[in-house]
mmCIF file of all heavy atoms in Angstrom:
data_model
loop_
_atom_site.group_PDB
_atom_site.id
_atom_site.type_symbol
_atom_site.label_atom_id
_atom_site.label_comp_id
_atom_site.label_asym_id
_atom_site.label_seq_id
_atom_site.Cartn_x
_atom_site.Cartn_y
_atom_site.Cartn_z
ATOM 1 N N ARG A 1 0.801 -1.172 -0.055
ATOM 2 C CA ARG A 1 0.086 -0.100 0.084
ATOM 3 C C ARG A 1 0.847 1.226 0.018
ATOM 4 O O ARG A 1 0.524 2.315 -0.562
ATOM 5 C CB ARG A 1 -0.941 -0.075 1.243
ATOM 6 C CG ARG A 1 -1.854 1.099 1.335
ATOM 7 C CD ARG A 1 -2.810 1.056 2.622
ATOM 8 N NE ARG A 1 -3.687 2.106 2.680
ATOM 9 C CZ ARG A 1 -3.251 3.278 3.097
ATOM 10 N NH1 ARG A 1 -2.094 3.512 3.517
ATOM 11 N NH2 ARG A 1 -4.162 4.255 3.079
ATOM 12 N N ALA A 2 1.985 1.160 0.686
ATOM 13 C CA ALA A 2 2.843 2.428 0.794
ATOM 14 C C ALA A 2 3.916 2.406 -0.357
ATOM 15 O O ALA A 2 4.757 3.306 -0.427
ATOM 16 C CB ALA A 2 3.648 2.262 2.102
ATOM 17 N N GLY A 3 3.904 1.495 -1.365
ATOM 18 C CA GLY A 3 4.725 1.438 -2.585
ATOM 19 C C GLY A 3 6.125 0.921 -2.108
ATOM 20 O O GLY A 3 7.014 1.185 -2.748
ATOM 21 N N ARG A 4 6.158 0.018 -1.115
ATOM 22 C CA ARG A 4 7.393 -0.573 -0.741
ATOM 23 C C ARG A 4 7.245 -2.082 -1.033
ATOM 24 O O ARG A 4 6.120 -2.600 -1.102
ATOM 25 C CB ARG A 4 7.701 -0.324 0.752
ATOM 26 C CG ARG A 4 7.898 1.030 1.127
ATOM 27 C CD ARG A 4 8.474 1.173 2.633
ATOM 28 N NE ARG A 4 7.615 0.484 3.596
ATOM 29 C CZ ARG A 4 6.608 1.030 4.267
ATOM 30 N NH1 ARG A 4 6.496 2.330 4.369
ATOM 31 N NH2 ARG A 4 5.967 0.334 5.232
ATOM 32 N N VAL A 5 8.468 -2.711 -1.089
ATOM 33 C CA VAL A 5 8.427 -4.174 -1.294
ATOM 34 C C VAL A 5 9.712 -4.765 -0.549
ATOM 35 O O VAL A 5 10.631 -3.990 -0.240
ATOM 36 C CB VAL A 5 8.553 -4.521 -2.776
ATOM 37 C CG1 VAL A 5 9.846 -4.015 -3.234
ATOM 38 C CG2 VAL A 5 8.383 -5.975 -3.033
ATOM 39 N N ARG A 6 9.621 -6.006 -0.132
ATOM 40 C CA ARG A 6 10.679 -6.603 0.741
ATOM 41 C C ARG A 6 11.463 -7.366 -0.299
ATOM 42 O O ARG A 6 10.975 -7.991 -1.150
ATOM 43 C CB ARG A 6 10.094 -7.557 1.757
ATOM 44 C CG ARG A 6 9.492 -7.042 2.962
ATOM 45 C CD ARG A 6 9.185 -8.082 3.902
ATOM 46 N NE ARG A 6 7.973 -7.983 4.586
ATOM 47 C CZ ARG A 6 7.357 -8.728 5.444
ATOM 48 N NH1 ARG A 6 8.045 -9.808 5.723
ATOM 49 N NH2 ARG A 6 6.197 -8.406 5.861
ATOM 50 N N ALA A 7 12.760 -7.350 0.018
ATOM 51 C CA ALA A 7 13.652 -8.198 -0.714
ATOM 52 C C ALA A 7 14.388 -9.039 0.200
ATOM 53 O O ALA A 7 15.182 -8.469 1.114
ATOM 54 C CB ALA A 7 14.619 -7.391 -1.557
ATOM 55 N N GLU A 8 14.434 -10.397 0.167
ATOM 56 C CA GLU A 8 15.273 -11.164 1.034
ATOM 57 C C GLU A 8 16.680 -11.482 0.309
ATOM 58 O O GLU A 8 16.597 -11.806 -0.942
ATOM 59 C CB GLU A 8 14.582 -12.558 1.151
ATOM 60 C CG GLU A 8 15.524 -13.505 2.058
ATOM 61 C CD GLU A 8 14.766 -14.813 2.233
ATOM 62 O OE1 GLU A 8 13.983 -15.259 1.297
ATOM 63 O OE2 GLU A 8 15.152 -15.553 3.051
ATOM 64 N N VAL A 9 17.691 -10.940 0.841
ATOM 65 C CA VAL A 9 19.008 -11.041 0.310
ATOM 66 C C VAL A 9 19.801 -12.173 1.148
ATOM 67 O O VAL A 9 19.965 -11.934 2.291
ATOM 68 C CB VAL A 9 19.587 -9.645 0.455
ATOM 69 C CG1 VAL A 9 21.050 -9.885 -0.174
ATOM 70 C CG2 VAL A 9 18.880 -8.674 -0.432
ATOM 71 N N ILE A 10 20.198 -13.081 0.379
ATOM 72 C CA ILE A 10 21.090 -14.244 1.018
ATOM 73 C C ILE A 10 22.415 -14.061 0.480
ATOM 74 O O ILE A 10 22.672 -14.099 -0.769
ATOM 75 C CB ILE A 10 20.391 -15.487 0.657
ATOM 76 C CG1 ILE A 10 18.929 -15.509 0.982
ATOM 77 C CG2 ILE A 10 21.189 -16.640 1.220
ATOM 78 C CD1 ILE A 10 18.184 -16.704 0.369
ATOM 79 N N THR A 11 23.418 -14.086 1.313
ATOM 80 C CA THR A 11 24.791 -14.075 1.021
ATOM 81 C C THR A 11 25.605 -15.161 1.815
ATOM 82 O O THR A 11 24.942 -15.787 2.756
ATOM 83 C CB THR A 11 25.488 -12.726 1.415
ATOM 84 O OG1 THR A 11 25.265 -12.430 2.741
ATOM 85 C CG2 THR A 11 24.930 -11.581 0.587
ATOM 86 N N ALA A 12 26.699 -15.554 1.343
ATOM 87 C CA ALA A 12 27.347 -16.604 1.965
ATOM 88 C C ALA A 12 27.949 -16.156 3.266
ATOM 89 O O ALA A 12 28.032 -16.999 4.337
ATOM 90 C CB ALA A 12 28.547 -17.231 1.050
ATOM 91 N N THR A 13 28.449 -14.952 3.396
ATOM 92 C CA THR A 13 28.887 -14.372 4.715
ATOM 93 C C THR A 13 28.440 -12.918 4.685
ATOM 94 O O THR A 13 27.731 -12.545 3.785
ATOM 95 C CB THR A 13 30.464 -14.390 4.532
ATOM 96 O OG1 THR A 13 30.920 -13.459 3.551
ATOM 97 C CG2 THR A 13 31.148 -15.630 4.439
ATOM 98 N N GLY A 14 28.611 -12.312 5.901
ATOM 99 C CA GLY A 14 28.266 -10.942 5.946
ATOM 100 C C GLY A 14 28.975 -9.958 5.026
ATOM 101 O O GLY A 14 30.037 -10.252 4.707
ATOM 102 N N MET A 15 28.220 -8.992 4.572
ATOM 103 C CA MET A 15 28.821 -8.077 3.551
ATOM 104 C C MET A 15 28.784 -6.699 4.177
ATOM 105 O O MET A 15 27.991 -6.480 5.173
ATOM 106 C CB MET A 15 27.893 -8.002 2.366
ATOM 107 C CG MET A 15 27.798 -9.430 1.672
ATOM 108 S SD MET A 15 29.427 -10.084 1.053
ATOM 109 C CE MET A 15 29.673 -9.099 -0.338
ATOM 110 N N PRO A 16 29.713 -5.803 3.770
ATOM 111 C CA PRO A 16 29.672 -4.408 4.189
ATOM 112 C C PRO A 16 28.360 -3.638 3.929
ATOM 113 O O PRO A 16 27.628 -3.993 2.957
ATOM 114 C CB PRO A 16 30.798 -3.694 3.531
ATOM 115 C CG PRO A 16 31.462 -4.654 2.698
ATOM 116 C CD PRO A 16 30.643 -5.983 2.767
ATOM 117 N N GLU A 17 27.975 -2.781 4.797
ATOM 118 C CA GLU A 17 26.689 -2.002 4.656
ATOM 119 C C GLU A 17 26.703 -1.235 3.303
ATOM 120 O O GLU A 17 25.650 -1.100 2.586
ATOM 121 C CB GLU A 17 26.488 -0.914 5.709
ATOM 122 C CG GLU A 17 25.813 -1.648 6.957
ATOM 123 C CD GLU A 17 24.722 -2.478 6.767
ATOM 124 O OE1 GLU A 17 23.727 -2.010 6.100
ATOM 125 O OE2 GLU A 17 24.573 -3.699 7.266
ATOM 126 N N ALA A 18 27.837 -0.869 2.782
ATOM 127 C CA ALA A 18 27.837 -0.188 1.553
ATOM 128 C C ALA A 18 27.426 -1.090 0.392
ATOM 129 O O ALA A 18 26.726 -0.704 -0.670
ATOM 130 C CB ALA A 18 29.357 0.277 1.181
ATOM 131 N N TYR A 19 27.688 -2.410 0.524
ATOM 132 C CA TYR A 19 27.305 -3.394 -0.623
ATOM 133 C C TYR A 19 25.663 -3.383 -0.506
ATOM 134 O O TYR A 19 25.119 -3.390 -1.580
ATOM 135 C CB TYR A 19 28.013 -4.752 -0.243
ATOM 136 C CG TYR A 19 27.377 -5.843 -1.138
ATOM 137 C CD1 TYR A 19 27.860 -6.042 -2.437
ATOM 138 C CD2 TYR A 19 26.463 -6.670 -0.759
ATOM 139 C CE1 TYR A 19 27.482 -6.931 -3.260
ATOM 140 C CE2 TYR A 19 25.943 -7.605 -1.565
ATOM 141 C CZ TYR A 19 26.452 -7.774 -2.801
ATOM 142 O OH TYR A 19 25.958 -8.778 -3.691
ATOM 143 N N TYR A 20 25.187 -3.616 0.711
ATOM 144 C CA TYR A 20 23.716 -3.679 0.890
ATOM 145 C C TYR A 20 23.110 -2.404 0.211
ATOM 146 O O TYR A 20 21.984 -2.525 -0.285
ATOM 147 C CB TYR A 20 23.375 -3.980 2.212
ATOM 148 C CG TYR A 20 23.698 -5.445 2.698
ATOM 149 C CD1 TYR A 20 24.599 -5.575 3.743
ATOM 150 C CD2 TYR A 20 23.142 -6.477 2.120
ATOM 151 C CE1 TYR A 20 24.872 -6.806 4.118
ATOM 152 C CE2 TYR A 20 23.509 -7.741 2.452
ATOM 153 C CZ TYR A 20 24.365 -7.967 3.486
ATOM 154 O OH TYR A 20 24.647 -9.215 4.020
ATOM 155 N N ALA A 21 23.631 -1.272 0.499
ATOM 156 C CA ALA A 21 22.978 -0.020 0.070
ATOM 157 C C ALA A 21 22.983 0.040 -1.437
ATOM 158 O O ALA A 21 22.078 0.357 -2.096
ATOM 159 C CB ALA A 21 23.800 1.185 0.646
ATOM 160 N N GLN A 22 24.173 -0.387 -2.071
ATOM 161 C CA GLN A 22 24.230 -0.452 -3.480
ATOM 162 C C GLN A 22 23.231 -1.502 -4.073
ATOM 163 O O GLN A 22 22.628 -1.218 -5.019
ATOM 164 C CB GLN A 22 25.645 -0.812 -3.987
ATOM 165 C CG GLN A 22 25.734 -0.870 -5.464
ATOM 166 C CD GLN A 22 27.309 -1.128 -5.794
ATOM 167 O OE1 GLN A 22 28.068 -1.451 -5.038
ATOM 168 N NE2 GLN A 22 27.515 -1.081 -7.164
ATOM 169 N N LEU A 23 23.139 -2.649 -3.594
ATOM 170 C CA LEU A 23 22.140 -3.626 -3.840
ATOM 171 C C LEU A 23 20.664 -3.142 -3.728
ATOM 172 O O LEU A 23 19.783 -3.249 -4.643
ATOM 173 C CB LEU A 23 22.385 -5.018 -3.048
ATOM 174 C CG LEU A 23 21.507 -6.127 -3.400
ATOM 175 C CD1 LEU A 23 21.616 -6.541 -4.894
ATOM 176 C CD2 LEU A 23 21.787 -7.292 -2.477
ATOM 177 N N GLN A 24 20.433 -2.368 -2.649
ATOM 178 C CA GLN A 24 19.081 -1.844 -2.519
ATOM 179 C C GLN A 24 18.762 -0.926 -3.512
ATOM 180 O O GLN A 24 17.587 -0.868 -4.087
ATOM 181 C CB GLN A 24 19.027 -1.161 -0.965
ATOM 182 C CG GLN A 24 17.649 -0.626 -0.808
ATOM 183 C CD GLN A 24 17.658 -0.055 0.681
ATOM 184 O OE1 GLN A 24 18.675 0.023 1.345
ATOM 185 N NE2 GLN A 24 16.464 0.324 1.002
ATOM 186 N N ARG A 25 19.742 -0.029 -3.976
ATOM 187 C CA ARG A 25 19.404 1.013 -5.015
ATOM 188 C C ARG A 25 19.238 0.211 -6.260
ATOM 189 O O ARG A 25 18.185 0.565 -7.050
ATOM 190 C CB ARG A 25 20.558 1.955 -5.215
ATOM 191 C CG ARG A 25 20.639 2.956 -4.068
ATOM 192 C CD ARG A 25 21.656 4.018 -4.411
ATOM 193 N NE ARG A 25 23.039 3.637 -4.502
ATOM 194 C CZ ARG A 25 23.950 3.456 -3.479
ATOM 195 N NH1 ARG A 25 23.479 3.754 -2.136
ATOM 196 N NH2 ARG A 25 25.087 3.036 -3.665
ATOM 197 N N ALA A 26 19.989 -0.802 -6.618
ATOM 198 C CA ALA A 26 19.785 -1.542 -7.826
ATOM 199 C C ALA A 26 18.338 -2.229 -7.878
ATOM 200 O O ALA A 26 17.602 -2.207 -8.900
ATOM 201 C CB ALA A 26 20.907 -2.584 -8.032
ATOM 202 N N LEU A 27 17.951 -2.747 -6.747
ATOM 203 C CA LEU A 27 16.704 -3.501 -6.820
ATOM 204 C C LEU A 27 15.553 -2.358 -6.843
ATOM 205 O O LEU A 27 14.465 -2.725 -7.434
ATOM 206 C CB LEU A 27 16.462 -4.252 -5.411
ATOM 207 C CG LEU A 27 17.363 -5.556 -5.327
ATOM 208 C CD1 LEU A 27 17.324 -6.184 -4.031
ATOM 209 C CD2 LEU A 27 16.926 -6.519 -6.502
ATOM 210 N N GLU A 28 15.730 -1.217 -6.265
ATOM 211 C CA GLU A 28 14.709 -0.191 -6.372
ATOM 212 C C GLU A 28 14.543 0.298 -7.933
ATOM 213 O O GLU A 28 13.509 0.558 -8.256
ATOM 214 C CB GLU A 28 15.161 1.075 -5.441
ATOM 215 C CG GLU A 28 14.921 0.764 -3.990
ATOM 216 C CD GLU A 28 15.255 1.859 -3.026
ATOM 217 O OE1 GLU A 28 16.059 2.708 -3.447
ATOM 218 O OE2 GLU A 28 14.979 1.662 -1.832
ATOM 219 N N GLN A 29 15.663 0.313 -8.464
ATOM 220 C CA GLN A 29 15.564 0.676 -10.033
ATOM 221 C C GLN A 29 14.887 -0.406 -10.805
ATOM 222 O O GLN A 29 14.008 -0.137 -11.592
ATOM 223 C CB GLN A 29 16.876 0.884 -10.531
ATOM 224 C CG GLN A 29 17.618 2.124 -10.171
ATOM 225 C CD GLN A 29 19.040 2.298 -10.777
ATOM 226 O OE1 GLN A 29 19.619 1.325 -11.192
ATOM 227 N NE2 GLN A 29 19.527 3.497 -10.729
ATOM 228 N N VAL A 30 15.098 -1.677 -10.427
ATOM 229 C CA VAL A 30 14.487 -2.752 -11.128
ATOM 230 C C VAL A 30 12.864 -2.882 -10.920
ATOM 231 O O VAL A 30 12.083 -3.126 -11.704
ATOM 232 C CB VAL A 30 15.123 -4.104 -10.754
ATOM 233 C CG1 VAL A 30 14.311 -5.372 -11.337
ATOM 234 C CG2 VAL A 30 16.565 -4.214 -11.331
ATOM 235 N N THR A 31 12.526 -2.569 -9.553
ATOM 236 C CA THR A 31 11.227 -2.832 -9.163
ATOM 237 C C THR A 31 10.407 -1.608 -9.309
ATOM 238 O O THR A 31 9.182 -1.593 -9.438
ATOM 239 C CB THR A 31 11.146 -3.309 -7.641
ATOM 240 O OG1 THR A 31 11.636 -2.246 -6.769
ATOM 241 C CG2 THR A 31 11.800 -4.671 -7.569
ATOM 242 N N GLY A 32 11.016 -0.399 -9.298
ATOM 243 C CA GLY A 32 10.351 0.862 -9.294
ATOM 244 C C GLY A 32 9.616 1.170 -7.929
ATOM 245 O O GLY A 32 8.827 1.994 -7.888
ATOM 246 N N LYS A 33 10.084 0.554 -6.873
ATOM 247 C CA LYS A 33 9.514 0.662 -5.534
ATOM 248 C C LYS A 33 10.587 0.850 -4.508
ATOM 249 O O LYS A 33 11.732 0.455 -4.736
ATOM 250 C CB LYS A 33 8.627 -0.461 -5.243
ATOM 251 C CG LYS A 33 7.474 -0.726 -6.058
ATOM 252 C CD LYS A 33 6.677 -1.898 -5.577
ATOM 253 C CE LYS A 33 5.324 -1.966 -6.489
ATOM 254 N NZ LYS A 33 4.471 -3.119 -5.985
ATOM 255 N N LYS A 34 10.251 1.436 -3.396
ATOM 256 C CA LYS A 34 11.170 1.442 -2.313
ATOM 257 C C LYS A 34 11.342 0.059 -1.699
ATOM 258 O O LYS A 34 10.483 -0.755 -1.472
ATOM 259 C CB LYS A 34 10.567 2.314 -1.222
ATOM 260 C CG LYS A 34 11.378 2.447 0.088
ATOM 261 C CD LYS A 34 12.560 3.448 -0.177
ATOM 262 C CE LYS A 34 13.219 3.600 1.139
ATOM 263 N NZ LYS A 34 14.690 3.667 0.981
ATOM 264 N N VAL A 35 12.592 -0.488 -1.604
ATOM 265 C CA VAL A 35 12.933 -1.783 -1.187
ATOM 266 C C VAL A 35 13.457 -1.766 0.247
ATOM 267 O O VAL A 35 14.255 -1.148 0.668
ATOM 268 C CB VAL A 35 14.016 -2.414 -2.131
ATOM 269 C CG1 VAL A 35 14.531 -3.772 -1.623
ATOM 270 C CG2 VAL A 35 13.432 -2.606 -3.630
ATOM 271 N N THR A 36 12.895 -2.787 0.986
ATOM 272 C CA THR A 36 13.484 -3.109 2.403
ATOM 273 C C THR A 36 14.179 -4.426 2.384
ATOM 274 O O THR A 36 13.480 -5.402 1.815
ATOM 275 C CB THR A 36 12.180 -3.092 3.331
ATOM 276 O OG1 THR A 36 11.491 -2.015 3.311
ATOM 277 C CG2 THR A 36 12.621 -3.419 4.841
ATOM 278 N N LEU A 37 15.431 -4.427 2.720
ATOM 279 C CA LEU A 37 16.251 -5.714 2.581
ATOM 280 C C LEU A 37 16.088 -6.401 3.886
ATOM 281 O O LEU A 37 16.097 -5.760 4.976
ATOM 282 C CB LEU A 37 17.718 -5.262 2.475
ATOM 283 C CG LEU A 37 18.070 -4.478 1.186
ATOM 284 C CD1 LEU A 37 19.598 -4.344 1.109
ATOM 285 C CD2 LEU A 37 17.628 -5.355 -0.080
ATOM 286 N N LEU A 38 15.823 -7.624 3.777
ATOM 287 C CA LEU A 38 15.922 -8.605 4.840
ATOM 288 C C LEU A 38 17.121 -9.477 4.554
ATOM 289 O O LEU A 38 17.182 -10.310 3.666
ATOM 290 C CB LEU A 38 14.649 -9.475 4.861
ATOM 291 C CG LEU A 38 13.294 -8.755 4.809
ATOM 292 C CD1 LEU A 38 12.185 -9.722 4.681
ATOM 293 C CD2 LEU A 38 13.297 -8.071 6.150
#
């Protein structure tokens, strides 16, 4: 309803926050919605 979507992100090990921020931006471009990473 708020134009957001969840994205479950699975990595083999923990990643730096900068990586997750870049991935979030890329997923937002693909979906056209605000993405919340799990």
Side-chain angles (χ1 to χ4, degrees):
R1 183 179 180 280
R4 293 188 311 255
V5 66
R6 285 190 222 178
E8 180 183 22
V9 176
I10 305 167
T11 57
T13 61
M15 302 297 285
E17 282 304 312
Y19 175 82
Y20 289 117
Q22 183 179 1
L23 181 60
Q24 182 176 6
R25 284 191 299 276
L27 291 172
E28 286 174 350
Q29 287 179 342
V30 169
T31 62
K33 296 182 178 185
K34 179 79 174 137
V35 173
T36 303
L37 295 182
L38 304 173

